[in-house]
């Protein structure tokens, strides 16, 4: 306990004097010190409410006999960073968040932690920190945004990006575009579909690190404040019982998370973050196992962008726990795993009911009998690439067409809006990987433009970068090895035929070995000139199939 190493004894009088400088009483210093890691800021819509969550957490900690002390963590809004150089700074913050949280906790000797994340890289970054630090920890996110409404239909941020494509194609006028702009994001919270932030907040609940409702209770509901108070109280129980993150995030828990990922139809970014979290837990992660789990896991949910339901609907249907209940009945989960409730998953699922079988389908009526994500392999991606299968139109599950190659996202967007992409094309965007980008930009703009123009059932996109969880269509990312590392994608040329077979997990580039050898001999690969943090990141980051972790 902190009082044993920092507070008690004559030698720790200097430490006590500094606690008094904070206004901490002797009574407060004698209790467990709980770090409240609050990701509040005034630029990210998913984080603008986190000051309220933090105050509720602090009340919960104090009610349960602890002393709460708040400190910050950074985050980037992927929506605001999208489509420009700012997106290079999204994924890279995951490691900054983990590293800075580690530094703060170990420098100040906290006894327990409550992590308050919400948006994309903030959640896995704090989960990585929790595993690394391995002191009692509970997560409580800020909660999802409510869906907007345009034309009597629920809408979300992905609808906004697609509206830009529709406007560019002359399908809607400026007045309608402005209506979307004003209405699709009506409240604070993480954007309302099953995008990366909500995917990771739901998977935090599956991993056992968040209480029931962590992934789905809307940000503006009072129940979210109650949840935060309970999280503050619960961390004190974990401190008393010495239940730690690596007792919870075991190999079985990681496997449960992959299984739930398949049923929920989560973002492909989970295939970057789960390996990185597993790495911090000392748990091996094999992409090949993803397809094995997918083969036996039905896709039970089609939340936006895959379908017309939203996080608020999943919450009303019983939330993540109701999905787990359906998977438990199929024998697909290890429910003996420990959770932050101090109980096993099996105990937590007692009495849970699926309240809406349209939002969370029964397995016999599943959207598909296979999971929401597929890992494809072939000569274009020997180490794998990833697609959100649940958001692909049936007619695009198998596709073959000529490549149109672009060296950056900007080049590709210009070509799309210039009318250069036609039905049947396979758009290839390279030099956007973890090291080559650097930062592995998330590319919602090109995928949304194609969808907005009505080409999502006719055109595939392939990249060594990544796609937003808000993406729909045959958008295949994380191609490994990436271009800058000499991966096959570096040598694709316009007109090359690429074959995609998602049901059979294959991607093939129809070029001879002799032609490939000729191209390799005649092409010099160059890294982009970058400075500062991006330069260090590019030099240390692993490939996407390894989770884009920082090699130590």
């Amino acid at each position: 306990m902190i009082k044993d190493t920092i507070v008690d004894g004559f030698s720790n009088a200097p430490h006590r004097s500094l606690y008094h400088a904070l206004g901490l009483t002797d009574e407060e210093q004698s209790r467990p010190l709980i770090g409240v890691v609050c990701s509040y800021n005034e630029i990210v819509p998913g984080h603008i409410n986190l000051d309220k969550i933090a105050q509720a957490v602090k009340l919960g900690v104090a009610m349960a006999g602890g002393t709460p002390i708040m400190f910050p963590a950074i985050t980037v809004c992927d929506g605001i960073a999208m489509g420009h150089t700012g997106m290079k700074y999204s994924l890279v913050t995951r490691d900054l968040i983990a590293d800075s949280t580690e530094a703060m906790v170990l420098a100040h000797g906290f006894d327990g932690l409550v992590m308050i994340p919400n948006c994309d890289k903030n959640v896995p970054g704090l989960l990585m920190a929790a595993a690394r630090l391995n002191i009692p920890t509970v997560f409580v996110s800020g909660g999802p945004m409510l869906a907007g409404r345009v034309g009597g239909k629920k809408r979300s941020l992905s609808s906004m990006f697609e509206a830009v494509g529709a406007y560019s194609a002359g399908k809607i006028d400026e007045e309608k575009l402005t209506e979307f702009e004003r209405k699709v994001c009506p409240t604070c919270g993480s954007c309302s579909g099953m995008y990366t932030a909500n995917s990771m907040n739901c998977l935090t609940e599956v991993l056992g690190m968040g209480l029931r409702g962590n992934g789905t209770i809307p940000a503006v509901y009072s129940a979210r404040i109650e949840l935060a108070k309970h999280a503050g109280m619960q961390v004190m129980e974990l401190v008393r019982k010495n239940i730690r993150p690596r007792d919870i995030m075991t190999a079985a828990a990681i496997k449960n998370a992959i299984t739930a990922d398949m049923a929920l139809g989560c973002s492909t970014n989970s295939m970057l973050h789960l390996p990185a979290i597993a790495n911090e837990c000392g748990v091996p992660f094999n992409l090949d196992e993803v397809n094995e789990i997918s083969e036996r896991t039905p896709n039970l949910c089609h939340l936006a962008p895959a379908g017309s339901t939203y996080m608020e609907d999943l919450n009303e249907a019983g939330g993540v726990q109701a999905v787990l209940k359906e998977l438990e009945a199929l024998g697909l989960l290890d429910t003996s795993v420990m959770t932050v409730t101090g109980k096993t998953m099996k105990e937590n699922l007692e009495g849970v009911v699926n309240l809406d079988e349209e939002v969370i389908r029964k397995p016999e009526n599943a959207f598909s009998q296979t999971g929401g994500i597929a890992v494809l392999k072939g000569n274009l991606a020997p180490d794998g690439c990833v697609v959100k299968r649940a958001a692909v139109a049936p007619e695009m599950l198998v596709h073959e067409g000529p490549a149109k190659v672009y060296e950056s996202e900007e080049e590709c967007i210009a070509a799309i809006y210039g009318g250069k992409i036609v039905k049947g094309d396979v758009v290839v965007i390279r030099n956007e990987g973890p090291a080559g980008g650097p930062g592995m930009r998330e590319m919602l703009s090109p995928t949304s433009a194609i969808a907005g123009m009505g080409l999502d059932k006719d055109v595939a996109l392939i990249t060594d970068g990544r796609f937003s969880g808000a993406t729909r269509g045959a958008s295949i990312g994380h191609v490994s090895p990436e271009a800058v590392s000499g991966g096959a994608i570096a040598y694709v040329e316009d007109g090359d035929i690429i074959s995609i077979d998602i049901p059979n997990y294959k991607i093939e580039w129809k070029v001879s070995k002799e032609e490939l050898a000729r191209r390799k001999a005649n092409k010099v690969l160059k890294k982009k000139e970058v400075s500062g943090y991006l330069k260090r990141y590019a030099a240390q980051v692993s490939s996407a199939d390894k989770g884009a972790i920082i090699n130590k």
Side-chain angles (χ1 to χ4, degrees), residues 31-267:
R31 298 169 183 165
L33 192 68
I34 305 300
V36 179
V37 188
C38 181
S39 306
Y40 167 78
N41 62 55
E42 294 183 340
I43 189 61
V44 182
H47 288 236
I48 193 70
N49 66 317
L50 297 193
D51 56 338
K52 309 295 189 299
I53 301 296
Q55 290 305 314
V57 166
K58 290 173 71 176
L59 279 172
V61 170
M63 284 191 289
T67 299
I69 300 288
M70 184 170 62
F71 65 88
I74 64 167
T75 195
V76 164
C77 176
D78 279 21
I80 294 174
M82 196 72 66
H84 58 92
T85 193
M87 183 47 70
K88 292 178 183 290
Y89 288 90
S90 172
L91 179 60
V92 304
T93 63
R94 189 184 70 182
D95 295 276
L96 280 176
I97 290 162
D99 292 348
S100 59
T101 303
E102 173 193 355
M104 284 294 291
V105 172
L106 294 182
H108 300 102
F110 291 99
D111 296 309
L113 299 168
V114 179
M115 304 288 202
I116 309 176
N118 211 28
C119 287
D120 293 22
K121 313 311 166 300
N122 184 241
V123 185
L126 290 178
L127 283 166
M128 290 162 65
R132 192 183 299 176
L133 293 161
N134 203 34
I135 63 174
T137 303
V138 177
F139 275 67
V140 56
S141 76
M145 184 183 292
L146 294 178
R149 290 184 181 271
V150 179
K153 294 182 179 179
K154 287 184 178 181
R155 305 287 188 173
S156 63
L157 184 65
S158 59
S159 309
M160 183 69 252
F161 277 88
E162 290 181 15
V164 173
Y167 176 77
S168 178
K171 294 186 174 184
I172 63 172
D173 60 17
E174 187 173 353
E175 184 179 357
K176 178 58 70 173
L177 183 67
T178 300
E179 184 183 3
F180 271 88
E181 179 186 331
R182 302 285 186 189
K183 294 181 176 179
V184 295
C185 297
T187 72
C188 64
S190 48
C191 296
S192 55
M194 187 55 82
Y195 311 148
T196 304
N198 291 327
S199 294
M200 293 311 301
N201 283 323
C202 287
L203 294 181
T204 297
E205 204 172 321
V206 180
L207 285 167
M209 293 298 294
L211 300 175
R212 181 176 180 176
N214 178 73
T216 60
I217 297 173
V220 295
Y221 282 15
S222 299
R224 176 61 59 178
I225 299 297
E226 293 183 33
L227 182 71
K229 291 176 182 175
H230 283 127
M233 289 186 272
Q234 189 57 31
V235 75
M236 295 304 298
E237 185 69 12
L238 298 185
V239 169
R240 281 188 282 271
K241 293 182 177 178
N242 196 29
I243 298 174
R244 299 169 179 249
R246 280 185 234 156
D247 300 327
I248 295 169
M249 292 191 287
T250 60
I254 298 287
K255 193 170 181 179
N256 285 343
I258 300 171
T259 303
D261 189 322
M262 296 300 162
L264 286 163
C266 291
S267 164

